[in-house]
């Protein structure tokens, strides 16, 4: 176990301003610590964490297939964090540039358009707004995946991630939009319907057009009634009813 460390905001700004001069460092996965001019660029917390560098997976041609496993690893290593603490860009920028620099380079910088390399570094080594926190930063996105999974399906968070990450559309709609991902009751009902469909191997709810139609129908229902006022049974029934309509059943 080690103590969780974070950067000062001055250090984060210095790193962000210097991306262009450190491209090779990022591509090589941070072989050594970056020397910063900011006085006392880091601070220590009283929070401890497990190791990450040696256990995060990126093997194979599609490293994204390991996101579910990696999310559980990151969340359990940092399970002492509160959601408030886990929203601090200074923490994730530090972990991205130190403990997890090699993982992020392998996951996000291998291949792709070199003309957009600086943009990819900015997105995955730093945090840009709330959506960047959940969607882009190479480490924070994994923690939030794990956090959501443990809150929505605490009895089997791994299964939740297997189902929701099966296709990009569900991931984008259910995880990467804070307005959706924070409503755990709705997510639980949506997951239950998807998990049942996933087990049948037909997986029609995962088809792009059907899934999007389902989400549009749920959004309209949410606008017409106060979802939080519905009982669990009523909410489950409403979610299943809109799924049936999207499927054309």
């Amino acid at each position: 176990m080690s103590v969780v460390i974070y950067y000062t905001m001055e250090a984060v700004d210095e790193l962000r301003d210097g991306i262009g001069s450190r491209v090779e460092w990022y591509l090589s996965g941070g072989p050594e610590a970056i020397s910063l001019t900011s006085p006392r660029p880091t601070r220590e917390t009283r929070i401890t964490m497990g190791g990450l560098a040696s256990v995060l997976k990126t093997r194979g041609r599609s490293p994204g297939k390991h996101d579910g496993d990696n999310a559980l690893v990151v969340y359990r290593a940092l399970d002492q964090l509160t959601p408030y603490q886990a929203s601090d860009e200074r923490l994730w920028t530090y972990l991205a540039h130190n403990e997890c620099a090699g993982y992020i380079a392998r996951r996000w910088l291998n291949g792709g358009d070199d003309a957009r390399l600086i943009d990819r570094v900015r997105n995955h080594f730093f945090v840009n707004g709330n959506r960047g926190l959940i969607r882009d930063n190479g480490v924070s996105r994994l923690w939030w995946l794990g956090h959501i999974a443990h809150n929505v399906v605490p009895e089997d968070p791994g299964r939740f991630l297997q189902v929701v990450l099966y296709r990009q559309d569900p991931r984008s709609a259910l995880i990467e939009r804070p307005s959706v991902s924070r409503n755990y009751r709705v997510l639980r009902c949506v997951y239950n319907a998807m998990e049942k469909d996933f087990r049948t191997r037909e997986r029609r709810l995962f088809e792009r057009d059907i899934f999007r139609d389902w989400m549009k129908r749920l959004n309209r229902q949410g606008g017409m009634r106060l979802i939080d006022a519905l009982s669990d049974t009523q909410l489950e029934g409403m979610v299943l009813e809109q799924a049936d309509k999207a499927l054309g059943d």
Side-chain angles (χ1 to χ4, degrees):
M1 301 292 284
S2 59
V3 174
V4 172
I5 298 173
Y6 64 95
Y7 279 129
T8 63
M9 203 60 231
E10 290 79 7
V12 172
D13 290 339
E14 182 180 342
L15 285 167
R16 188 179 279 115
D17 291 342
I19 292 174
S21 64
R22 298 190 180 99
V23 168
E24 290 302 321
W25 184 92
Y26 287 106
L27 285 172
S28 61
E32 68 282 324
I34 294 178
S35 178
L36 298 172
T37 61
S38 303
R40 293 190 63 222
T42 62
R43 300 285 190 274
E44 288 189 357
T45 71
R46 297 180 180 179
I47 301 170
T48 58
M49 62 175 283
L52 294 175
S54 63
V55 291
L56 292 176
K57 303 175 184 177
T58 55
R59 295 190 304 273
R61 294 182 179 180
S62 302
K65 70 182 181 181
H66 301 297
D67 280 358
D69 291 338
N70 287 338
L72 296 178
V73 167
V74 170
Y75 183 73
R76 289 165 182 168
L78 290 160
D79 62 355
Q80 295 181 48
L81 290 180
T82 66
Y84 176 79
Q85 293 166 329
S87 299
D88 194 326
E89 68 174 297
R90 299 172 300 173
L91 165 66
W92 301 117
T93 303
Y94 179 86
L95 289 173
H97 284 79
N98 292 274
E99 179 81 5
C100 301
Y103 161 75
I104 296 176
R106 294 189 300 271
R107 172 68 172 86
W108 297 103
L109 303 187
N110 286 341
D113 183 1
D114 288 342
R116 297 192 64 250
L117 178 60
I118 289 179
D119 288 337
R120 284 187 282 143
V121 169
R122 187 177 292 112
N123 285 339
H124 302 303
F125 281 84
F126 297 86
V127 175
N128 301 296
N130 285 337
R131 290 197 70 179
L133 182 76
I134 295 175
R135 180 186 63 189
D136 296 326
N137 179 276
V139 196
S140 68
R141 64 189 293 276
L142 296 175
W143 189 93
W144 281 100
L145 275 173
H147 175 74
I148 293 167
H150 277 80
N151 278 275
V152 177
V153 189
E155 68 275 17
D156 196 352
R159 179 62 171 177
F160 173 86
L161 292 170
Q162 181 186 14
V163 170
V164 173
L165 300 183
Y166 175 64
R167 291 277 174 83
Q168 181 60 39
D169 278 334
R171 176 184 193 138
S172 297
L174 302 177
I175 301 296
E176 296 174 358
R177 296 177 184 173
S179 60
V180 177
S181 61
R182 304 297 171 84
N183 194 322
Y184 297 144
R185 290 181 67 227
V186 174
L187 268 179
R188 174 79 183 211
C189 292
V190 170
Y191 161 76
N192 286 341
M194 294 178 69
E195 200 276 336
K196 181 179 179 181
D197 186 47
F198 192 84
R199 278 188 279 118
T200 67
R201 297 189 178 277
E202 292 184 11
R203 300 177 182 176
R204 292 184 61 209
L205 283 175
F206 294 83
E207 295 176 15
R208 181 186 180 93
D209 291 342
I210 291 176
F211 179 81
R212 290 188 173 187
D213 184 44
W214 183 26
M215 292 299 104
K216 288 178 182 178
R217 291 175 181 276
L218 288 179
N219 286 334
R220 285 198 294 268
Q221 289 294 313
M224 288 188 286
R225 65 180 82 180
L226 294 174
I227 286 181
D228 286 341
L230 299 177
S231 68
D232 289 346
T233 301
Q234 290 171 324
L235 181 57
E236 188 90 33
M238 186 266 285
V239 168
L240 291 173
E241 178 186 5
Q242 299 310 313
D244 288 342
K245 289 181 178 180
L247 289 166
D249 295 344

